[in-house]
Amino acid sequence: MNLWKIGAMILLSACATSGSGEKSDCDEMCNELYGACDYAAFPDKLSCMEGCLFAEENNADVESQKECVLEAACDTFAIIECENTYGVEANE
Amino acid sequence: MNNLISVSAVAVLSMACASDYEIKGREVNVDPGQVTDCPFTPVPGTKISVYDCNPVFENDDEELGGDVGSVGFYATEIMGHPFYQMWYTTNAGGYGDFTMNYAVSPDGTNWDTHPENPLFESYPGAWDQDSVAGQVVVWDPKESQYVMSYQGFNLNNQSDPADDIWGLGIATSPDGKVWDKHPNNPVIDFNSSQYSLTESESFDILFGGTTDKIKPCWPLTITVTERGAFRGYLAASKWQDIYNDPLGGAGKCEVYRMDGFDAGSWVIDQSSPVLAASNDYDAQGVTSASVVRYGDLSYMFYIGFEAWEEAGVGGLVYAVRTTLNLATSTDDGVTWQKDPNNPIPINLTSPGQVSSIGAQVIGTRIHLWVGDGYDGSSAVGYFYYEPDIEPHEETETTEE
């Protein structure tokens, strides 16, 4: 991961932290998908965060999805299953 | 100088995290060229852009035997960001030697094959033991499962066509890996009495009688409608036309609509084709099609073919001079209008050898996977179509 990517993630993480200092589910999930897994699907972390917050507004079970994504440990096949189980379409 | 940078960074961080700055959720719309290794180039005179580093998949890291055969695509959007899935067959040669396999990609161009491939392979004695091909995969949100439609057959005694089993197969999977074939397969039996003529019917036509019966050529595609039902299309010929052809041809494989109450119960509307073989580019019909809905319109991308050619053995014929074409529908796929600019000029050879098409809406684009001949072998290229734009100018060359 290059320095610019680390810097951008710190910046966005700082902004996505709630008042109590707890990180949001979206922030943790995007750190995993964009940061740890380094998936090309996400052009930047902001895009991931915006998509995640939009999903949350549309009844996705983001907390469960985050747990599922973290457990998947960058197994792309498993991460797709997490979306199918907890994402927007699963909760429509 | 370093101090200046540090001070600036702290200032930026402070400003960025001030209480009036907040990330808002929004529907993301990723430009594919932003996440792929190579850019996409607009095709002049069309709304299509082509990936510069096509083809996008070869399975040479697996020892499955044979080239990539049929390919079915589906993209799952993870918080609005497409992750691509591909189910592909390989065939080491001859009937009954196929495997079905699975791969995923975060950008549509770099693929990870599943470590447990093949997912399934030919099962001796099954109705589809000799071939599974032309697979199309959709996600059924009502049942939370993938649904795969495919053409299967079992030639049994290969010298006797009377014992052939041939039709539309359905398989379902909750995870894309473990597939259950439908207990009623083939869910449409192409050899059933509904789609074949009795001796008396044949005799009657020879002496001037008429019939509305159709003879299926092959399944084309299935979709899940907004109401959660299934709609599909298959290519078929009118028995009447086959009998009336003075040259004894194979007939035109025109597009007919079929509707499914569920994935296992289908009814074909045999009354008339929804897309007739009426232009030079589809003079003999359609070999492959994919249907998507975007806004108020349905889009059918289809491979039209101009002629049949004899394979040289056993009187077999195959479709030649193939091109990609487009039709649109304003009534949810009941009637279709062909695009006046057909065919879409993306075929790599002339005459065209385009073999398959898969399409899916992602954001404001329709992503397309087009099978074509790359250096003498069949492979899949990646494209996208932008419904909302004007056709690309002739002078445009590169997209930023």
Side-chain angles (χ1 to χ4, degrees):
Chain A
M1 202 185 313
N2 61 33
L3 284 175
W4 155 245
K5 195 166 180 178
I6 293 168
M9 282 180 59
I10 292 169
L11 188 70
L12 280 164
S13 293
C15 300
T17 302
S18 69
S20 64
E22 244 174 67
K23 278 188 174 178
S24 73
D25 292 324
C26 281
D27 188 48
E28 282 188 68
M29 187 150 55
C30 288
N31 279 345
E32 180 72 2
L33 294 171
Y34 175 71
C37 303
D38 202 16
Y39 283 132
F42 302 96
D44 49 45
K45 190 182 170 190
L46 178 61
S47 176
C48 180
M49 289 295 293
E50 290 173 332
C52 183
L53 292 167
F54 184 77
E56 198 167 38
E57 290 162 16
N58 286 275
N59 301 322
D61 181 354
V62 170
E63 186 182 354
S64 299
Q65 189 171 354
K66 177 203 75 179
E67 297 297 335
C68 183
V69 164
L70 293 178
E71 200 171 313
C74 301
D75 174 343
T76 314
F77 296 94
I79 284 169
I80 290 171
E81 279 190 73
C82 295
E83 175 67 31
N84 286 337
T85 309
Y86 301 109
V88 173
E89 275 205 64
N91 293 286
E92 271 179 352
Chain B
M1 183 64 182
N2 281 346
N3 283 347
L4 185 62
I5 292 170
S6 301
V7 169
S8 304
V10 170
V12 169
L13 266 172
S14 306
M15 283 191 296
C17 299
S19 58
D20 61 348
Y21 181 87
E22 192 183 358
I23 301 170
K24 298 273 190 195
R26 72 179 177 92
E27 200 167 6
V28 294
N29 182 24
V30 178
D31 178 347
Q34 245 187 305
V35 300
T36 49
D37 295 336
C38 304
F40 285 73
T41 299
V43 178
T46 77
K47 298 182 178 185
I48 283 186
S49 295
V50 54
Y51 184 55
D52 283 0
C53 297
N54 280 335
V56 294
F57 181 70
E58 289 165 313
N59 71 326
D60 49 12
D61 64 331
E62 296 179 287
E63 293 177 358
L64 298 167
D67 292 335
V68 174
S70 296
V71 184
F73 286 92
Y74 185 78
T76 295
E77 291 185 54
I78 296 183
M79 300 175 303
H81 302 77
F83 279 63
Y84 304 86
Q85 298 157 87
M86 179 198 319
W87 291 266
Y88 59 98
T89 60
T90 64
N91 194 319
Y95 293 125
D97 206 4
F98 68 85
T99 65
M100 178 65 73
N101 309 279
Y102 183 33
V104 295
S105 168
D107 63 4
T109 64
N110 297 300
W111 296 88
D112 293 328
T113 54
H114 196 275
E116 288 164 26
N117 281 341
L119 305 181
F120 61 84
E121 50 199 319
S122 174
Y123 184 78
W127 76 275
D128 55 3
Q129 73 161 20
D130 286 334
S131 178
V132 164
Q135 66 271 19
V136 172
V137 179
V138 296
W139 175 255
D140 176 3
K142 208 163 66 176
E143 300 294 335
S144 294
Q145 62 183 6
Y146 294 97
V147 177
M148 177 189 291
S149 69
Y150 62 93
Q151 175 180 250
F153 62 77
N154 181 341
L155 298 178
N156 286 304
N157 175 0
Q158 292 191 18
S159 61
D160 180 9
D163 65 4
D164 292 357
I165 306 171
W166 177 47
L168 174 74
I170 293 288
T172 57
S173 170
D175 58 9
K177 295 175 280 192
V178 179
W179 290 87
D180 291 322
K181 292 185 181 175
H182 199 281
N184 296 342
N185 276 345
V187 295
I188 301 179
D189 179 352
F190 290 170
N191 281 347
S192 80
S193 57
Q194 256 184 301
Y195 311 113
S196 51
L197 298 183
T198 62
E199 272 188 30
S200 64
E201 284 172 323
S202 304
F203 195 74
D204 189 39
I205 294 175
L206 283 172
F207 287 93
T210 59
T211 178
D212 287 334
K213 277 190 173 179
I214 60 168
K215 176 180 183 287
C217 299
W218 40 71
L220 292 171
T221 191
I222 62 167
T223 61
V224 180
T225 68
E226 286 179 343
R227 293 178 183 174
F230 288 89
R231 171 156 290 171
Y233 300 88
L234 83 162
S237 309
K238 286 181 190 294
W239 276 109
Q240 188 79 47
D241 293 344
I242 295 171
Y243 271 75
N244 289 347
D245 185 348
L247 300 175
K252 295 178 177 181
C253 290
E254 300 179 302
V255 180
Y256 287 78
R257 196 182 84 236
M258 57 189 192
D259 288 293
F261 307 114
D262 55 55
S265 312
W266 292 88
V267 174
I268 302 172
D269 179 356
Q270 299 188 49
S271 57
S272 60
V274 295
L275 199 76
S278 54
N279 295 78
D280 288 346
Y281 54 79
D282 59 9
Q284 293 301 321
V286 173
T287 63
S288 175
S290 189
V291 172
V292 297
R293 190 176 171 89
Y294 180 82
D296 294 332
L297 284 183
S298 297
Y299 292 79
M300 179 188 288
F301 292 89
Y302 68 96
I303 310 298
F305 69 105
E306 294 180 26
W308 293 101
E309 200 163 286
E310 286 188 17
V313 285
L316 291 175
V317 291
Y318 62 98
V320 294
R321 297 178 175 271
T322 53
T323 51
L324 180 65
N325 299 281
L326 173 63
T328 54
S329 168
T330 55
D331 54 12
D332 208 14
V334 178
T335 59
W336 291 89
Q337 294 76 44
K338 293 180 187 177
D339 191 292
N341 295 319
N342 282 339
I344 301 171
I346 59 157
N347 39 297
L348 296 171
T349 62
S350 185
Q353 299 175 328
V354 185
S355 56
S356 63
I357 174 69
Q360 188 172 342
V361 174
I362 298 166
T364 57
R365 297 174 178 83
I366 301 172
H367 291 227
L368 303 170
W369 295 274
V370 183
D372 205 339
Y374 287 86
D375 295 328
S377 53
S378 181
V380 177
Y382 184 20
F383 302 75
Y384 62 76
Y385 177 93
E386 296 174 275
D388 298 331
I389 66 166
E390 291 299 315
H392 299 297
E393 297 287 340
E394 296 292 334
T395 51
E396 261 184 283
T397 53
T398 309
E399 190 178 48
E400 290 300 320

